[in-house]
Amino acid sequence: MKNERAEMLRRSIAAGDLAVGVGARDALEAKLIERAGFDFVWSSSLGISASYAVPDASLISMYQYLEAARAMNEVIGIPIIADCDTGYGNANNVAYAVKRFEEAGIAAISMEDKKFPKDNSLLAGGRQELAHVEEFAGKLMAAKDAQRSEEFIVIARVEALIAGWGEQEALDRAYRYVEADADYILIHSKSTEPGEIVSFVNAWDGAAPLVLVPTTYPQLTEEQILDLGKVRIVIYANQPMRAAVRAQELLLEEIKRVGGIHTIDKMMVPVSYIFEIQGVPQMKESEKKFLK
Ligand code: SPV
Ligand code: MG
C-alpha cells in the first residue's frame, strides 16, 4: 500500500521548504484551506470537538475524529495531519487508531505526550498532566509498527513546555521520541512570546524536523521560522473556525437587530458560491454523461 498524501508531505519537507497548513473542523473548511493554497490540513481536535460544541477534553470518540478526518480527506487533494490527541488510550488503542486513520488515506498523525483524558493545551488552568516518557515512547513504537505504508508519518508532540516542566525536560523527551522512531517533533508552547520556542529550536540538535503551532505567539512569521533552520512544518490550528464564529455572530446580531434578512447580503457569500465549493458543476458534468 502506498500513501501518496504522506509522500507529498514528505516531499515538500525534503525540498527544504516550510510546509504550511491550517486547522479544519469539517470538510467544508478543509476545502477552503486547500483552495487558498496551503500545503496540508490539520484535522484539529479543538475544531472537531467544537463542532459538537463540547470541550476538547477527550470527550468524543476516536471514531468521531476519524470520520471528520475521513470526510475532509475525501474532498481534498492535499495531505491531512490528523490531531490524534493522546492516541485515545494506551499502545493498543494507538495501534488500532493508526490502522484506521491510515486506511482512510490520512497522511500523518500527531500524538501528544499527555495522560488520557487530556485537556486542551491552551486552556487557562487546564490539567496538563504528562505521561511517563517510556509509556509514550511505547505508544510511538506501537504507531510506527502499526503503519502499513513506509511513507505514513507519526509526529510526536511534546507538551513539557505546556505543562511547565521546562526546556531540558522538553529536549530529553524529544530525543527519546526520535529514538522511538517518531518522524517529526511537534514542540508546543502557550507562551505569548516566541522566546520559549526559539530557545528550544536553537537548542535542538536531533535528527527529526520540528513542527510549530504559533497560536499564542503569532508575531513569529514564516520567514523568521525558516531562518531558525530546523522547523519544517507550521500549523495555524484554529483561525478559520474563530473567524467563522465572529462572522456568524455579527450576522445573527444584525438579523435580530433589523428584524429581517434584508440588510445582510454583503455579509455573506451567495448560495451559488456554496454550490461551487460543494462540487455541483462537476456533478452536473457527470449527469450529462450518466443520467439517462
Ligand atoms: C488543536 O488544534 O486541537 C491542537 C492545537 O491540538 S491546541 O489547540 O493548541 O492544543
Ligand atoms: Mg488538539
Side-chain angles (χ1 to χ4, degrees), residues 158 169-179 185 200 204:
V158 177
E169 179 72 22
L171 286 165
D172 291 346
R173 282 176 175 256
Y175 289 127
R176 178 68 190 98
Y177 301 159
V178 173
E179 250 176 50
I185 297 292
F200 178 96
W204 175 248

Side-chain angles (χ1 to χ4, degrees), residues 42 44-46 56 83 112 120-122 157 188 213 215 237:
W42 164 253
S44 159
S45 74
L46 172 65
D56 178 21
D83 173 8
E112 63 204 58
N120 181 271
S121 302
L122 306 181
R157 167 165 159 181
H188 204 11
V213 184
T215 311

Side-chain angles (χ1 to χ4, degrees), residues 24-25 31 48 58 77 84 88 98-99 139 152 154 159 171 196 207 217 240-241 250 255 261 281 288 290:
R25 67 199 143 127
K31 191 107 200 198
I48 297 166
S58 308
C84 285
Y88 311 109
V98 163
K99 286 180 194 147
K139 285 164 77 165
F152 186 76
V154 174
E159 292 277 293
L171 286 165
E196 182 174 71
Y217 50 95
M241 172 175 69
L250 287 173
I255 297 173
I261 54 172
K288 279 188 209 149
F290 304 125

Side-chain angles (χ1 to χ4, degrees), residues 11 32 37 43 51 57 80 128 137 153 177 181 191 229 233 243 265 276:
R11 257 202 315 272
L32 296 179
S43 69
S51 75
I80 290 184
Q128 305 301 340
I153 297 161
Y177 301 159
D181 254 1
S191 173
I233 299 182
D265 267 5
E276 204 250 306

Side-chain angles (χ1 to χ4, degrees), residues 49-290:
S49 56
S51 75
Y52 288 85
V54 301
D56 178 21
S58 308
L59 296 182
I60 60 171
S61 74
M62 184 274 273
Y63 262 102
Q64 288 167 296
Y65 289 113
L66 173 63
E67 282 309 314
R70 187 204 306 279
M72 294 177 201
N73 209 51
E74 281 171 8
V75 296
I76 60 174
I78 55 174
I80 290 184
I81 300 179
D83 173 8
C84 285
D85 282 348
T86 61
Y88 311 109
N90 68 15
N92 295 327
N93 300 79
V94 169
Y96 185 76
V98 163
K99 286 180 194 147
R100 303 291 85 80
F101 276 80
E102 199 186 14
E103 276 165 9
I106 303 302
I109 63 148
S110 167
M111 187 166 62
E112 63 204 58
D113 61 350
K114 290 209 299 246
K115 288 186 180 160
F116 175 93
K118 59 107 217 215
D119 249 353
N120 181 271
S121 302
L122 306 181
L123 182 65
R127 281 176 301 98
Q128 305 301 340
E129 300 162 338
L130 297 190
H132 190 279
V133 185
E134 287 309 313
E135 183 207 345
F136 190 70
K139 285 164 77 165
L140 290 170
M141 289 191 283
K144 293 304 289 179
D145 184 66
Q147 75 183 61
R148 293 282 180 268
S149 74
E150 248 182 70
E151 305 83 27
F152 186 76
I153 297 161
V154 174
I155 300 175
R157 167 165 159 181
V158 177
E159 292 277 293
L161 300 177
I162 294 285
W165 289 33
E167 180 175 300
Q168 193 54 53
E169 179 72 22
L171 286 165
D172 291 346
R173 282 176 175 256
Y175 289 127
R176 178 68 190 98
Y177 301 159
V178 173
E179 250 176 50
D181 254 1
D183 295 294
Y184 311 140
I185 297 292
L186 190 163
I187 179 68
H188 204 11
S189 164
K190 60 183 174 192
S191 173
T192 53
E193 296 293 330
E196 182 174 71
I197 275 295
V198 169
S199 171
F200 178 96
V201 173
N202 287 333
W204 175 248
D205 69 355
L210 299 176
V211 182
L212 300 188
V213 184
T215 311
T216 62
Y217 50 95
Q219 315 87 310
L220 200 64
T221 63
E222 289 166 22
E223 198 181 346
Q224 290 166 331
I225 290 172
L226 253 183
D227 282 349
L228 293 174
K230 301 164 198 168
V231 180
R232 286 282 160 269
I233 299 182
V234 174
I235 302 170
Y236 302 133
N238 52 41
Q239 290 72 17
M241 172 175 69
R242 289 161 60 195
V245 168
R246 161 82 27 102
Q248 291 185 45
E249 286 193 339
L250 287 173
L251 175 105
L252 294 167
E253 266 171 39
E254 176 68 7
I255 297 173
K256 266 279 179 207
R257 191 180 68 81
V258 302
I261 54 172
H262 52 288
T263 64
I264 56 170
D265 267 5
K266 285 208 171 68
M267 299 174 84
M268 306 181 299
V269 296
V271 176
S272 58
Y273 195 80
I274 303 292
F275 290 156
E276 204 250 306
I277 298 171
Q278 285 176 294
V280 172
Q282 292 84 335
M283 182 182 76
K284 289 292 154 197
E285 274 307 302
S286 74
E287 274 185 6
K288 279 188 209 149
K289 278 192 253 162
F290 304 125

